[in-house]
Amino acid sequence: MSTLKLDLENYKELMHQYIKTQDEQALYQAEQFSKHSMQQNISPEEIINVHIESLQQLYPDMPEYIQSSMDFLLETMISYGLAYQEYQALRERQLELKSEISVAANMQQTLLATEKPEFDGLEVGAVSVPSKQMNGDYYHFVKDEDGSLGIAIADVVGKGVPAALCMSMIKYSMDSFPENLMDPGVILGSLNRVVERNVDASMFVTMFYGLYNMQDHVFRFSSAGHEPGYYYNSQKDEFEEIDASGLVLGVSSEATYEQCSQQINVGDMVILLTDGVTECRQGDRFIEEDEVLEIIRKYSHLPAQETVEQVYKHFERLQDFYLRDDFTLIILKRKV
Protein backbone atom coordinates (compact mmCIF):
# COMPACT_ATOMS: atom_id res chain seq x y z
CA MET A 1 0.00 0.00 0.00
CA SER A 2 2.88 2.36 0.88
CA THR A 3 4.39 1.66 -2.56
CA LEU A 4 1.13 2.63 -4.25
CA LYS A 5 0.94 5.85 -2.19
CA LEU A 6 4.50 6.67 -3.15
CA ASP A 7 3.66 6.01 -6.79
CA LEU A 8 0.62 8.25 -6.45
CA GLU A 9 2.81 11.10 -5.24
CA ASN A 10 5.33 10.46 -8.00
CA TYR A 11 2.62 10.30 -10.63
CA LYS A 12 1.04 13.55 -9.38
CA GLU A 13 4.38 15.33 -9.54
CA LEU A 14 5.16 13.97 -12.98
CA MET A 15 1.76 14.96 -14.34
CA HIS A 16 2.00 18.42 -12.80
CA GLN A 17 5.48 18.92 -14.27
CA TYR A 18 4.33 17.83 -17.72
CA ILE A 19 1.21 20.05 -17.68
CA LYS A 20 3.34 23.07 -16.77
CA THR A 21 6.38 22.44 -19.01
CA GLN A 22 5.48 19.79 -21.63
CA ASP A 23 8.88 18.34 -20.71
CA GLU A 24 9.99 15.16 -22.52
CA GLN A 25 11.78 14.05 -19.36
CA ALA A 26 8.43 13.81 -17.59
CA LEU A 27 7.15 11.54 -20.35
CA TYR A 28 10.19 9.31 -19.97
CA GLN A 29 9.62 9.07 -16.21
CA ALA A 30 5.94 8.28 -16.87
CA GLU A 31 7.10 5.42 -19.09
CA GLN A 32 9.22 4.09 -16.22
CA PHE A 33 6.20 4.41 -13.93
CA SER A 34 4.23 2.26 -16.39
CA LYS A 35 6.92 -0.43 -16.43
CA HIS A 36 7.08 -0.45 -12.64
CA SER A 37 3.30 -0.76 -12.47
CA MET A 38 3.37 -3.76 -14.82
CA GLN A 39 6.02 -5.44 -12.67
CA GLN A 40 3.78 -4.92 -9.65
CA ASN A 41 0.76 -6.33 -11.57
CA ILE A 42 -1.10 -3.06 -11.20
CA SER A 43 -4.18 -3.12 -13.44
CA PRO A 44 -5.08 -0.43 -16.03
CA GLU A 45 -8.04 0.75 -13.93
CA GLU A 46 -5.72 1.34 -10.97
CA ILE A 47 -3.55 3.56 -13.16
CA ILE A 48 -6.65 5.52 -14.20
CA ASN A 49 -7.67 5.82 -10.56
CA VAL A 50 -4.20 7.19 -9.71
CA HIS A 51 -4.65 9.70 -12.53
CA ILE A 52 -8.07 10.81 -11.23
CA GLU A 53 -6.82 11.18 -7.65
CA SER A 54 -3.83 13.20 -8.87
CA LEU A 55 -6.12 15.50 -10.87
CA GLN A 56 -8.41 15.99 -7.88
CA GLN A 57 -5.49 16.94 -5.66
CA LEU A 58 -3.94 19.25 -8.21
CA TYR A 59 -7.23 20.82 -9.30
CA PRO A 60 -9.78 20.55 -6.48
CA ASP A 61 -12.11 22.87 -8.40
CA MET A 62 -12.02 20.65 -11.51
CA PRO A 63 -15.22 21.10 -13.57
CA GLU A 64 -17.86 18.46 -13.03
CA TYR A 65 -17.91 17.39 -16.69
CA ILE A 66 -14.21 16.54 -16.51
CA GLN A 67 -14.82 14.55 -13.35
CA SER A 68 -17.68 12.73 -15.10
CA SER A 69 -15.48 11.96 -18.09
CA MET A 70 -12.83 10.54 -15.76
CA ASP A 71 -15.44 8.36 -14.04
CA PHE A 72 -16.57 7.13 -17.48
CA LEU A 73 -12.98 6.33 -18.42
CA LEU A 74 -12.47 4.45 -15.14
CA GLU A 75 -15.52 2.25 -15.74
CA THR A 76 -14.37 1.61 -19.29
CA MET A 77 -10.93 0.55 -18.12
CA ILE A 78 -12.38 -1.74 -15.46
CA SER A 79 -14.16 -3.65 -18.25
CA TYR A 80 -11.04 -3.49 -20.36
CA GLY A 81 -8.92 -4.84 -17.51
CA LEU A 82 -11.21 -7.81 -16.96
CA ALA A 83 -11.29 -8.59 -20.69
CA TYR A 84 -7.51 -8.24 -20.90
CA GLN A 85 -6.99 -10.64 -18.01
CA GLU A 86 -9.21 -13.20 -19.77
CA TYR A 87 -7.28 -12.63 -23.00
CA GLN A 88 -3.95 -13.15 -21.24
CA ALA A 89 -5.21 -16.36 -19.62
CA LEU A 90 -6.42 -17.65 -22.99
CA ARG A 91 -3.15 -16.65 -24.63
CA GLU A 92 -1.14 -18.51 -22.00
CA ARG A 93 -3.33 -21.58 -22.46
CA GLN A 94 -2.95 -21.30 -26.24
CA LEU A 95 0.83 -21.16 -25.91
CA GLU A 96 0.73 -24.24 -23.67
CA LEU A 97 -1.40 -26.10 -26.21
CA LYS A 98 0.88 -25.00 -29.05
CA SER A 99 3.86 -26.33 -27.14
CA GLU A 100 2.07 -29.62 -26.41
CA ILE A 101 1.04 -30.00 -30.07
CA SER A 102 4.62 -29.31 -31.15
CA VAL A 103 5.84 -32.09 -28.86
CA ALA A 104 3.09 -34.39 -30.16
CA ALA A 105 4.03 -33.57 -33.78
CA ASN A 106 7.66 -34.46 -33.10
CA MET A 107 6.57 -37.69 -31.43
CA GLN A 108 4.36 -38.46 -34.43
CA GLN A 109 7.30 -38.05 -36.80
CA THR A 110 9.30 -40.46 -34.65
CA LEU A 111 6.51 -43.00 -34.21
CA LEU A 112 5.46 -43.03 -37.86
CA ALA A 113 8.92 -42.84 -39.37
CA THR A 114 9.45 -45.32 -42.18
CA GLU A 115 12.61 -46.05 -44.12
CA LYS A 116 12.34 -45.71 -47.87
CA PRO A 117 13.66 -48.98 -49.32
CA GLU A 118 16.19 -49.31 -52.12
CA PHE A 119 15.92 -51.93 -54.84
CA ASP A 120 17.90 -52.67 -57.96
CA GLY A 121 15.61 -51.85 -60.84
CA LEU A 122 12.89 -50.06 -58.84
CA GLU A 123 12.91 -46.41 -57.88
CA VAL A 124 10.78 -45.27 -54.94
CA GLY A 125 9.82 -41.63 -54.39
CA ALA A 126 7.78 -40.37 -51.44
CA VAL A 127 6.76 -36.97 -50.09
CA SER A 128 4.28 -36.26 -47.29
CA VAL A 129 3.65 -32.71 -46.07
CA PRO A 130 1.06 -31.85 -43.40
CA SER A 131 -1.17 -28.82 -43.87
CA LYS A 132 -0.86 -28.16 -40.12
CA GLN A 133 1.51 -29.42 -37.43
CA MET A 134 -0.11 -32.84 -37.16
CA ASN A 135 -0.27 -35.03 -40.24
CA GLY A 136 -3.54 -36.86 -40.96
CA ASP A 137 -1.86 -38.75 -43.82
CA TYR A 138 0.33 -41.78 -43.36
CA TYR A 139 2.53 -43.99 -45.50
CA HIS A 140 4.64 -46.98 -44.64
CA PHE A 141 7.00 -49.35 -46.45
CA VAL A 142 7.42 -53.01 -45.46
CA LYS A 143 9.66 -55.72 -46.95
CA ASP A 144 8.33 -59.25 -46.71
CA GLU A 145 10.39 -62.41 -46.43
CA ASP A 146 10.77 -62.92 -50.20
CA GLY A 147 11.93 -59.34 -50.83
CA SER A 148 8.60 -57.98 -52.08
CA LEU A 149 7.72 -54.41 -51.17
CA GLY A 150 4.57 -53.60 -49.23
CA ILE A 151 3.30 -50.01 -49.48
CA ALA A 152 0.55 -48.56 -47.30
CA ILE A 153 -0.91 -45.10 -47.80
CA ALA A 154 -3.75 -43.88 -45.62
CA ASP A 155 -5.78 -40.82 -44.68
CA VAL A 156 -7.69 -40.31 -41.43
CA VAL A 157 -11.02 -38.48 -41.81
CA GLY A 158 -10.20 -36.19 -38.91
CA LYS A 159 -7.16 -34.18 -37.91
CA GLY A 160 -4.97 -33.34 -34.96
CA VAL A 161 -3.80 -35.51 -32.09
CA PRO A 162 -6.60 -38.14 -32.38
CA ALA A 163 -5.67 -38.74 -36.03
CA ALA A 164 -1.99 -39.05 -35.13
CA LEU A 165 -2.78 -41.57 -32.38
CA CYS A 166 -4.94 -43.55 -34.80
CA MET A 167 -2.14 -43.65 -37.36
CA SER A 168 0.34 -44.80 -34.72
CA MET A 169 -1.98 -47.67 -33.80
CA ILE A 170 -2.28 -48.72 -37.45
CA LYS A 171 1.46 -48.54 -37.98
CA TYR A 172 2.26 -50.77 -35.03
CA SER A 173 -0.53 -53.14 -35.92
CA MET A 174 1.05 -53.55 -39.37
CA ASP A 175 4.47 -54.14 -37.83
CA SER A 176 3.00 -56.97 -35.74
CA PHE A 177 1.63 -58.91 -38.73
CA PRO A 178 3.60 -62.01 -39.81
CA GLU A 179 5.72 -61.36 -42.89
CA ASN A 180 4.12 -64.26 -44.73
CA LEU A 181 0.68 -62.64 -44.50
CA MET A 182 1.41 -59.65 -46.70
CA ASP A 183 -1.44 -60.10 -49.21
CA PRO A 184 -3.15 -56.69 -49.50
CA GLY A 185 -6.67 -58.03 -48.98
CA VAL A 186 -5.59 -59.90 -45.84
CA ILE A 187 -3.71 -56.87 -44.47
CA LEU A 188 -6.70 -54.53 -44.90
CA GLY A 189 -9.08 -57.08 -43.44
CA SER A 190 -6.92 -57.39 -40.32
CA LEU A 191 -6.49 -53.63 -39.97
CA ASN A 192 -10.23 -53.13 -40.41
CA ARG A 193 -10.92 -55.28 -37.37
CA VAL A 194 -8.30 -53.37 -35.35
CA VAL A 195 -9.80 -49.99 -36.29
CA GLU A 196 -13.39 -51.16 -35.76
CA ARG A 197 -12.59 -52.30 -32.22
CA ASN A 198 -10.34 -49.43 -31.12
CA VAL A 199 -11.25 -46.21 -32.96
CA ASP A 200 -14.17 -43.92 -32.22
CA ALA A 201 -17.11 -44.41 -34.57
CA SER A 202 -16.86 -40.80 -35.77
CA MET A 203 -13.35 -41.36 -37.15
CA PHE A 204 -12.79 -43.20 -40.42
CA VAL A 205 -9.61 -44.33 -42.10
CA THR A 206 -9.12 -44.80 -45.84
CA MET A 207 -6.17 -46.93 -46.93
CA PHE A 208 -4.60 -48.29 -50.07
CA TYR A 209 -2.24 -51.23 -49.65
CA GLY A 210 -0.09 -52.58 -52.46
CA LEU A 211 2.47 -55.36 -52.75
CA TYR A 212 5.17 -55.06 -55.43
CA ASN A 213 6.70 -58.43 -56.27
CA MET A 214 10.31 -57.93 -57.33
CA GLN A 215 10.44 -61.36 -59.01
CA ASP A 216 7.61 -61.03 -61.54
CA HIS A 217 7.06 -57.23 -61.27
CA VAL A 218 3.35 -57.63 -60.56
CA PHE A 219 1.72 -55.03 -58.33
CA ARG A 220 -1.11 -56.50 -56.25
CA PHE A 221 -3.32 -54.09 -54.36
CA SER A 222 -6.46 -53.57 -52.32
CA SER A 223 -8.26 -50.41 -51.22
CA ALA A 224 -10.36 -49.45 -48.22
CA GLY A 225 -12.27 -46.54 -49.75
CA HIS A 226 -9.05 -44.69 -50.50
CA GLU A 227 -8.31 -42.26 -53.32
CA PRO A 228 -7.65 -44.30 -56.49
CA GLY A 229 -4.06 -44.60 -57.63
CA TYR A 230 -2.73 -44.53 -61.18
CA TYR A 231 -0.70 -46.79 -63.43
CA TYR A 232 1.45 -45.10 -66.07
CA ASN A 233 2.01 -47.19 -69.20
CA SER A 234 5.26 -45.86 -70.66
CA GLN A 235 4.79 -47.61 -74.03
CA LYS A 236 1.42 -45.94 -74.59
CA ASP A 237 2.25 -42.80 -72.61
CA GLU A 238 -1.10 -43.19 -70.85
CA PHE A 239 -2.39 -43.15 -67.28
CA GLU A 240 -4.92 -45.68 -66.07
CA GLU A 241 -6.79 -45.48 -62.77
CA ILE A 242 -6.14 -48.38 -60.40
CA ASP A 243 -8.69 -49.06 -57.69
CA ALA A 244 -10.36 -51.92 -55.84
CA SER A 245 -13.64 -52.07 -53.97
CA GLY A 246 -13.72 -52.01 -50.18
CA LEU A 247 -15.26 -50.09 -47.29
CA VAL A 248 -13.23 -47.57 -45.33
CA LEU A 249 -11.59 -49.10 -42.26
CA GLY A 250 -13.67 -49.31 -39.11
CA VAL A 251 -17.20 -49.30 -40.55
CA SER A 252 -17.93 -53.02 -40.31
CA SER A 253 -15.94 -55.87 -38.84
CA GLU A 254 -17.31 -58.13 -41.60
CA ALA A 255 -15.92 -56.04 -44.47
CA THR A 256 -13.86 -57.84 -47.11
CA TYR A 257 -11.39 -56.32 -49.55
CA GLU A 258 -11.04 -57.11 -53.23
CA GLN A 259 -7.52 -57.77 -54.47
CA CYS A 260 -6.45 -56.70 -57.96
CA SER A 261 -3.17 -56.83 -59.85
CA GLN A 262 -1.26 -54.91 -62.48
CA GLN A 263 1.79 -56.00 -64.50
CA ILE A 264 4.53 -53.36 -64.37
CA ASN A 265 6.89 -53.15 -67.34
CA VAL A 266 10.18 -51.28 -67.70
CA GLY A 267 9.57 -47.51 -67.57
CA ASP A 268 6.09 -47.90 -66.06
CA MET A 269 5.06 -46.13 -62.86
CA VAL A 270 2.61 -46.67 -60.03
CA ILE A 271 1.29 -43.45 -58.49
CA LEU A 272 -0.30 -43.52 -55.03
CA LEU A 273 -1.67 -40.41 -53.36
CA THR A 274 -4.12 -38.87 -50.92
CA ASP A 275 -6.94 -36.44 -51.68
CA GLY A 276 -4.68 -33.54 -50.66
CA VAL A 277 -3.10 -34.01 -54.12
CA THR A 278 -6.23 -34.47 -56.23
CA GLU A 279 -8.18 -31.74 -54.41
CA CYS A 280 -5.61 -28.98 -54.74
CA ARG A 281 -7.20 -25.62 -55.39
CA GLN A 282 -6.17 -22.56 -57.31
CA GLY A 283 -8.28 -19.88 -55.68
CA ASP A 284 -11.81 -21.28 -55.64
CA ARG A 285 -11.13 -23.67 -58.52
CA PHE A 286 -10.36 -27.34 -57.89
CA ILE A 287 -7.53 -28.73 -59.98
CA GLU A 288 -8.72 -31.30 -62.51
CA GLU A 289 -7.40 -34.87 -62.42
CA ASP A 290 -5.87 -34.44 -65.89
CA GLU A 291 -3.87 -31.46 -64.63
CA VAL A 292 -2.39 -33.50 -61.80
CA LEU A 293 -1.39 -36.31 -64.16
CA GLU A 294 0.05 -33.88 -66.68
CA ILE A 295 2.37 -32.42 -64.03
CA ILE A 296 3.47 -35.93 -63.03
CA ARG A 297 4.14 -36.68 -66.72
CA LYS A 298 6.13 -33.44 -67.02
CA TYR A 299 8.60 -34.55 -64.35
CA SER A 300 8.48 -38.30 -64.99
CA HIS A 301 11.88 -38.30 -66.72
CA LEU A 302 13.50 -37.51 -63.36
CA PRO A 303 14.35 -40.08 -60.67
CA ALA A 304 11.23 -40.98 -58.69
CA GLN A 305 12.18 -38.98 -55.60
CA GLU A 306 12.88 -35.86 -57.64
CA THR A 307 9.59 -36.36 -59.48
CA VAL A 308 7.47 -36.32 -56.31
CA GLU A 309 9.38 -33.34 -54.94
CA GLN A 310 8.92 -31.31 -58.13
CA VAL A 311 5.21 -32.19 -58.29
CA TYR A 312 4.78 -31.06 -54.67
CA LYS A 313 6.63 -27.79 -55.30
CA HIS A 314 4.44 -27.11 -58.35
CA PHE A 315 1.20 -27.48 -56.42
CA GLU A 316 2.60 -25.63 -53.43
CA ARG A 317 3.30 -22.62 -55.66
CA LEU A 318 -0.07 -23.00 -57.36
CA GLN A 319 -1.80 -22.68 -53.96
CA ASP A 320 0.31 -19.68 -52.91
CA PHE A 321 2.23 -21.87 -50.45
CA TYR A 322 -0.89 -22.60 -48.40
CA LEU A 323 -1.91 -26.26 -48.14
CA ARG A 324 -5.59 -26.77 -47.37
CA ASP A 325 -5.07 -30.48 -46.79
CA ASP A 326 -2.22 -32.90 -46.09
CA PHE A 327 -0.29 -33.74 -49.27
CA THR A 328 1.12 -37.27 -49.78
CA LEU A 329 2.45 -38.66 -53.05
CA ILE A 330 4.32 -41.93 -53.69
CA ILE A 331 5.74 -43.07 -57.03
CA LEU A 332 7.19 -46.49 -57.90
CA LYS A 333 9.11 -46.57 -61.18
CA ARG A 334 10.49 -49.73 -62.74
CA LYS A 335 13.90 -49.26 -64.31
CA VAL A 336 14.92 -52.76 -65.50
Side-chain angles (χ1 to χ4, degrees), residues 205-221:
V205 182
T206 71
M207 178 177 278
F208 186 105
Y209 190 88
L211 183 65
Y212 191 102
N213 189 305
M214 295 300 299
Q215 304 301 318
D216 59 13
H217 295 283
V218 172
F219 183 65
R220 298 171 178 84
F221 58 91

Side-chain angles (χ1 to χ4, degrees), residues 24 49 52 68 78 122 165 185 204 209 305 320 333-334:
E24 292 289 333
N49 197 49
I52 292 173
S68 297
I78 289 174
L122 181 69
L165 292 173
F204 301 104
Y209 190 88
Q305 186 59 40
D320 295 324
K333 185 177 182 181
R334 183 180 172 188

